[in-house]
Amino acid sequence: MRIAILIFEKLTVLDAIGPYEVLRSVPGWEVTFVAPEAGAVRADSGALGLVADHSIDEVTDPDIVLIPGGGRAGPRLAAQGG
């Protein structure tokens, strides 16, 4: 099972890290952070950054794409590619 967790500017970190901590412990499951572009993104507080090892375009066949919550504009901006 391949799971991609989409991270984006102004995401609510707990909405990404909570599921990550649960899903990564399942034997045989591969969990990766992806973003519109590979690299660091800042949380809604601005005080914490997470790193996407791959862009969403590089992960071509995940079984699940998890989209965490975020401030008012975060998920909408992620859906629009930035």
Side-chain angles (χ1 to χ4, degrees):
M1 177 76 63
R2 295 185 61 201
I3 301 166
I5 299 176
L6 178 65
I7 59 174
F8 47 86
E9 294 294 325
K10 300 187 181 184
L11 81 152
T12 300
V13 174
L14 186 58
D15 290 353
I17 297 300
Y20 168 78
E21 286 295 327
V22 172
L23 298 170
R24 74 175 182 88
S25 66
V26 178
W29 286 17
E30 176 188 336
V31 182
T32 188
F33 288 110
V34 300
E37 295 180 5
V41 298
R42 303 304 295 177
D44 53 4
S45 68
L48 179 66
L50 294 176
V51 175
D53 292 323
H54 305 282
S55 74
I56 190 72
D57 293 334
E58 293 174 317
V59 180
T60 58
D61 61 348
D63 297 298
I64 297 171
V65 176
L66 187 144
I67 303 174
R72 288 188 269 155
R76 186 177 46 233
L77 289 172
Q80 296 170 353

